mmCIF file of all heavy atoms in Angstrom:
data_model
loop_
_atom_site.group_PDB
_atom_site.id
_atom_site.type_symbol
_atom_site.label_atom_id
_atom_site.label_comp_id
_atom_site.label_asym_id
_atom_site.label_seq_id
_atom_site.Cartn_x
_atom_site.Cartn_y
_atom_site.Cartn_z
ATOM 1 N N VAL A 272 128.322 66.351 -108.130
ATOM 2 C CA VAL A 272 128.272 65.427 -106.997
ATOM 3 C C VAL A 272 126.922 64.712 -106.963
ATOM 4 O O VAL A 272 126.858 63.491 -106.746
ATOM 5 C CB VAL A 272 128.548 66.179 -105.671
ATOM 6 C CG1 VAL A 272 128.257 65.306 -104.467
ATOM 7 C CG2 VAL A 272 129.973 66.675 -105.642
ATOM 8 N N ALA A 273 125.848 65.431 -107.181
ATOM 9 C CA ALA A 273 124.516 64.819 -107.183
ATOM 10 C C ALA A 273 124.406 63.766 -108.289
ATOM 11 O O ALA A 273 123.845 62.686 -108.079
ATOM 12 C CB ALA A 273 123.438 65.885 -107.358
ATOM 13 N N GLY A 274 124.933 64.053 -109.467
ATOM 14 C CA GLY A 274 124.911 63.076 -110.558
ATOM 15 C C GLY A 274 125.708 61.824 -110.232
ATOM 16 O O GLY A 274 125.261 60.704 -110.502
ATOM 17 N N PHE A 275 126.868 62.000 -109.628
ATOM 18 C CA PHE A 275 127.680 60.848 -109.232
ATOM 19 C C PHE A 275 126.959 59.999 -108.196
ATOM 20 O O PHE A 275 126.951 58.777 -108.272
ATOM 21 C CB PHE A 275 129.030 61.323 -108.684
ATOM 22 C CG PHE A 275 129.885 60.199 -108.182
ATOM 23 C CD1 PHE A 275 130.538 59.352 -109.058
ATOM 24 C CD2 PHE A 275 130.007 59.970 -106.817
ATOM 25 C CE1 PHE A 275 131.316 58.307 -108.595
ATOM 26 C CE2 PHE A 275 130.780 58.939 -106.340
ATOM 27 C CZ PHE A 275 131.436 58.094 -107.234
ATOM 28 N N VAL A 276 126.335 60.620 -107.210
ATOM 29 C CA VAL A 276 125.606 59.886 -106.170
ATOM 30 C C VAL A 276 124.441 59.110 -106.782
ATOM 31 O O VAL A 276 124.228 57.933 -106.465
ATOM 32 C CB VAL A 276 125.125 60.850 -105.058
ATOM 33 C CG1 VAL A 276 124.122 60.183 -104.136
ATOM 34 C CG2 VAL A 276 126.303 61.380 -104.272
ATOM 35 N N LEU A 277 123.695 59.740 -107.673
ATOM 36 C CA LEU A 277 122.562 59.047 -108.311
ATOM 37 C C LEU A 277 123.033 57.880 -109.163
ATOM 38 O O LEU A 277 122.422 56.810 -109.164
ATOM 39 C CB LEU A 277 121.750 60.036 -109.154
ATOM 40 C CG LEU A 277 120.947 61.061 -108.364
ATOM 41 C CD1 LEU A 277 120.289 62.058 -109.314
ATOM 42 C CD2 LEU A 277 119.909 60.375 -107.504
ATOM 43 N N TYR A 278 124.130 58.051 -109.891
ATOM 44 C CA TYR A 278 124.661 56.958 -110.705
ATOM 45 C C TYR A 278 125.129 55.798 -109.826
ATOM 46 O O TYR A 278 124.863 54.642 -110.118
ATOM 47 C CB TYR A 278 125.819 57.438 -111.586
ATOM 48 C CG TYR A 278 126.455 56.310 -112.346
ATOM 49 C CD1 TYR A 278 125.822 55.766 -113.454
ATOM 50 C CD2 TYR A 278 127.660 55.754 -111.921
ATOM 51 C CE1 TYR A 278 126.384 54.700 -114.135
ATOM 52 C CE2 TYR A 278 128.228 54.695 -112.598
ATOM 53 C CZ TYR A 278 127.586 54.170 -113.705
ATOM 54 O OH TYR A 278 128.141 53.112 -114.372
ATOM 55 N N SER A 279 125.816 56.087 -108.731
ATOM 56 C CA SER A 279 126.303 55.009 -107.870
ATOM 57 C C SER A 279 125.147 54.296 -107.179
ATOM 58 O O SER A 279 125.183 53.082 -106.988
ATOM 59 C CB SER A 279 127.321 55.522 -106.860
ATOM 60 O OG SER A 279 126.751 56.502 -106.046
ATOM 61 N N LEU A 280 124.092 55.013 -106.813
ATOM 62 C CA LEU A 280 122.906 54.362 -106.252
ATOM 63 C C LEU A 280 122.248 53.450 -107.281
ATOM 64 O O LEU A 280 121.846 52.327 -106.977
ATOM 65 C CB LEU A 280 121.899 55.404 -105.762
ATOM 66 C CG LEU A 280 122.210 56.077 -104.445
ATOM 67 C CD1 LEU A 280 121.202 57.193 -104.167
ATOM 68 C CD2 LEU A 280 122.199 55.069 -103.320
ATOM 69 N N TYR A 281 122.134 53.931 -108.516
ATOM 70 C CA TYR A 281 121.533 53.122 -109.573
ATOM 71 C C TYR A 281 122.340 51.848 -109.815
ATOM 72 O O TYR A 281 121.788 50.759 -109.900
ATOM 73 C CB TYR A 281 121.442 53.929 -110.871
ATOM 74 C CG TYR A 281 120.937 53.119 -112.034
ATOM 75 C CD1 TYR A 281 119.569 52.930 -112.224
ATOM 76 C CD2 TYR A 281 121.811 52.526 -112.930
ATOM 77 C CE1 TYR A 281 119.099 52.179 -113.279
ATOM 78 C CE2 TYR A 281 121.347 51.766 -113.988
ATOM 79 C CZ TYR A 281 119.990 51.599 -114.159
ATOM 80 O OH TYR A 281 119.532 50.846 -115.195
ATOM 81 N N SER A 282 123.656 51.969 -109.893
ATOM 82 C CA SER A 282 124.479 50.795 -110.191
ATOM 83 C C SER A 282 124.517 49.814 -109.029
ATOM 84 O O SER A 282 124.703 48.629 -109.236
ATOM 85 C CB SER A 282 125.895 51.221 -110.581
ATOM 86 O OG SER A 282 126.535 51.845 -109.500
ATOM 87 N N SER A 283 124.317 50.279 -107.811
ATOM 88 C CA SER A 283 124.313 49.354 -106.681
ATOM 89 C C SER A 283 122.981 48.630 -106.538
ATOM 90 O O SER A 283 122.898 47.635 -105.826
ATOM 91 C CB SER A 283 124.659 50.089 -105.384
ATOM 92 O OG SER A 283 123.616 50.963 -105.025
ATOM 93 N N TRP A 284 121.941 49.082 -107.219
ATOM 94 C CA TRP A 284 120.629 48.440 -107.138
ATOM 95 C C TRP A 284 120.301 47.596 -108.354
ATOM 96 O O TRP A 284 119.220 47.029 -108.437
ATOM 97 C CB TRP A 284 119.547 49.496 -106.937
ATOM 98 C CG TRP A 284 119.447 49.910 -105.517
ATOM 99 C CD1 TRP A 284 120.164 50.884 -104.905
ATOM 100 C CD2 TRP A 284 118.626 49.346 -104.506
ATOM 101 N NE1 TRP A 284 119.828 50.961 -103.587
ATOM 102 C CE2 TRP A 284 118.880 50.036 -103.313
ATOM 103 C CE3 TRP A 284 117.690 48.323 -104.501
ATOM 104 C CZ2 TRP A 284 118.237 49.737 -102.124
ATOM 105 C CZ3 TRP A 284 117.044 48.026 -103.311
ATOM 106 C CH2 TRP A 284 117.324 48.731 -102.150
ATOM 107 N N HIS A 285 121.186 47.522 -109.337
ATOM 108 C CA HIS A 285 120.921 46.767 -110.550
ATOM 109 C C HIS A 285 122.071 45.808 -110.848
ATOM 110 O O HIS A 285 123.229 46.136 -110.627
ATOM 111 C CB HIS A 285 120.718 47.718 -111.739
ATOM 112 C CG HIS A 285 119.463 48.522 -111.636
ATOM 113 N ND1 HIS A 285 119.392 49.689 -110.917
ATOM 114 C CD2 HIS A 285 118.226 48.319 -112.131
ATOM 115 C CE1 HIS A 285 118.164 50.170 -110.992
ATOM 116 N NE2 HIS A 285 117.436 49.356 -111.706
ATOM 117 N N TRP A 286 121.713 44.643 -111.376
ATOM 118 C CA TRP A 286 122.710 43.652 -111.767
ATOM 119 C C TRP A 286 123.406 44.097 -113.047
ATOM 120 O O TRP A 286 122.772 44.623 -113.953
ATOM 121 C CB TRP A 286 122.048 42.307 -112.049
ATOM 122 C CG TRP A 286 121.613 41.554 -110.843
ATOM 123 C CD1 TRP A 286 120.377 41.558 -110.284
ATOM 124 C CD2 TRP A 286 122.407 40.669 -110.055
ATOM 125 N NE1 TRP A 286 120.352 40.738 -109.197
ATOM 126 C CE2 TRP A 286 121.587 40.170 -109.035
ATOM 127 C CE3 TRP A 286 123.732 40.253 -110.115
ATOM 128 C CZ2 TRP A 286 122.052 39.270 -108.083
ATOM 129 C CZ3 TRP A 286 124.185 39.361 -109.169
ATOM 130 C CH2 TRP A 286 123.349 38.880 -108.165
ATOM 131 N N SER A 287 124.697 43.850 -113.133
ATOM 132 C CA SER A 287 125.409 43.978 -114.399
ATOM 133 C C SER A 287 125.715 42.565 -114.883
ATOM 134 O O SER A 287 125.614 41.607 -114.121
ATOM 135 C CB SER A 287 126.713 44.774 -114.219
ATOM 136 O OG SER A 287 127.655 44.019 -113.475
ATOM 137 N N GLU A 288 126.084 42.429 -116.156
ATOM 138 C CA GLU A 288 126.375 41.097 -116.682
ATOM 139 C C GLU A 288 127.564 40.462 -115.961
ATOM 140 O O GLU A 288 127.559 39.272 -115.669
ATOM 141 C CB GLU A 288 126.630 41.167 -118.185
ATOM 142 C CG GLU A 288 125.376 41.457 -118.963
ATOM 143 C CD GLU A 288 125.557 41.354 -120.459
ATOM 144 O OE1 GLU A 288 126.494 40.665 -120.907
ATOM 145 O OE2 GLU A 288 124.746 41.953 -121.173
ATOM 146 N N GLY A 289 128.585 41.264 -115.667
ATOM 147 C CA GLY A 289 129.752 40.749 -114.957
ATOM 148 C C GLY A 289 129.414 40.292 -113.545
ATOM 149 O O GLY A 289 129.920 39.268 -113.077
ATOM 150 N N GLU A 290 128.563 41.051 -112.853
ATOM 151 C CA GLU A 290 128.165 40.659 -111.504
ATOM 152 C C GLU A 290 127.379 39.352 -111.517
ATOM 153 O O GLU A 290 127.607 38.477 -110.677
ATOM 154 C CB GLU A 290 127.308 41.755 -110.860
ATOM 155 C CG GLU A 290 128.072 42.979 -110.433
ATOM 156 C CD GLU A 290 127.154 44.068 -109.936
ATOM 157 O OE1 GLU A 290 125.974 44.128 -110.351
ATOM 158 O OE2 GLU A 290 127.627 44.889 -109.126
ATOM 159 N N LEU A 291 126.453 39.219 -112.475
ATOM 160 C CA LEU A 291 125.660 38.000 -112.551
ATOM 161 C C LEU A 291 126.548 36.803 -112.883
ATOM 162 O O LEU A 291 126.416 35.738 -112.291
ATOM 163 C CB LEU A 291 124.535 38.154 -113.575
ATOM 164 C CG LEU A 291 123.509 37.022 -113.628
ATOM 165 C CD1 LEU A 291 122.822 36.862 -112.275
ATOM 166 C CD2 LEU A 291 122.474 37.302 -114.701
ATOM 167 N N TYR A 292 127.477 36.970 -113.809
ATOM 168 C CA TYR A 292 128.419 35.908 -114.177
ATOM 169 C C TYR A 292 129.221 35.462 -112.952
ATOM 170 O O TYR A 292 129.325 34.270 -112.650
ATOM 171 C CB TYR A 292 129.357 36.404 -115.280
ATOM 172 C CG TYR A 292 130.439 35.420 -115.657
ATOM 173 C CD1 TYR A 292 130.212 34.471 -116.642
ATOM 174 C CD2 TYR A 292 131.677 35.440 -115.027
ATOM 175 C CE1 TYR A 292 131.197 33.559 -116.993
ATOM 176 C CE2 TYR A 292 132.670 34.544 -115.362
ATOM 177 C CZ TYR A 292 132.422 33.601 -116.353
ATOM 178 O OH TYR A 292 133.396 32.692 -116.682
ATOM 179 N N THR A 293 129.771 36.423 -112.229
ATOM 180 C CA THR A 293 130.581 36.119 -111.052
ATOM 181 C C THR A 293 129.746 35.447 -109.968
ATOM 182 O O THR A 293 130.177 34.451 -109.370
ATOM 183 C CB THR A 293 131.220 37.407 -110.503
ATOM 184 O OG1 THR A 293 132.014 38.006 -111.526
ATOM 185 C CG2 THR A 293 132.075 37.127 -109.285
ATOM 186 N N ALA A 294 128.545 35.963 -109.710
ATOM 187 C CA ALA A 294 127.696 35.407 -108.655
ATOM 188 C C ALA A 294 127.297 33.964 -108.964
ATOM 189 O O ALA A 294 127.320 33.106 -108.078
ATOM 190 C CB ALA A 294 126.452 36.275 -108.478
ATOM 191 N N VAL A 295 126.943 33.681 -110.215
ATOM 192 C CA VAL A 295 126.512 32.328 -110.579
ATOM 193 C C VAL A 295 127.682 31.350 -110.464
ATOM 194 O O VAL A 295 127.533 30.241 -109.932
ATOM 195 C CB VAL A 295 125.902 32.317 -112.003
ATOM 196 C CG1 VAL A 295 125.695 30.907 -112.503
ATOM 197 C CG2 VAL A 295 124.591 33.084 -112.005
ATOM 198 N N HIS A 296 128.850 31.747 -110.921
ATOM 199 C CA HIS A 296 130.002 30.848 -110.841
ATOM 200 C C HIS A 296 130.484 30.662 -109.395
ATOM 201 O O HIS A 296 130.909 29.564 -109.023
ATOM 202 C CB HIS A 296 131.126 31.345 -111.753
ATOM 203 C CG HIS A 296 130.853 31.046 -113.192
ATOM 204 N ND1 HIS A 296 130.040 31.844 -113.958
ATOM 205 C CD2 HIS A 296 131.239 30.027 -113.989
ATOM 206 C CE1 HIS A 296 129.961 31.344 -115.169
ATOM 207 N NE2 HIS A 296 130.671 30.227 -115.216
ATOM 208 N N GLN A 297 130.422 31.709 -108.580
ATOM 209 C CA GLN A 297 130.760 31.562 -107.167
ATOM 210 C C GLN A 297 129.752 30.670 -106.458
ATOM 211 O O GLN A 297 130.105 29.884 -105.580
ATOM 212 C CB GLN A 297 130.838 32.921 -106.481
ATOM 213 C CG GLN A 297 132.076 33.700 -106.825
ATOM 214 C CD GLN A 297 132.115 35.056 -106.121
ATOM 215 O OE1 GLN A 297 131.184 35.464 -105.454
ATOM 216 N NE2 GLN A 297 133.228 35.752 -106.300
ATOM 217 N N ALA A 298 128.474 30.782 -106.830
ATOM 218 C CA ALA A 298 127.441 29.934 -106.230
ATOM 219 C C ALA A 298 127.686 28.465 -106.573
ATOM 220 O O ALA A 298 127.554 27.592 -105.709
ATOM 221 C CB ALA A 298 126.058 30.368 -106.713
#
């Protein structure tokens, strides 16, 4: 559970390529 929580916190604080692609095109 601790590992899952740390991974989800990390992924919510960092951009992924898909997120950046989507954000730029939506903008």
Side-chain angles (χ1 to χ4, degrees):
V272 170
F275 177 75
V276 168
L277 289 175
Y278 175 76
S279 60
L280 283 174
Y281 175 83
S282 64
S283 69
W284 279 87
H285 292 84
W286 285 95
S287 70
E288 289 188 23
E290 286 174 333
L291 188 59
Y292 175 89
T293 302
V295 169
H296 284 82
Q297 285 180 355

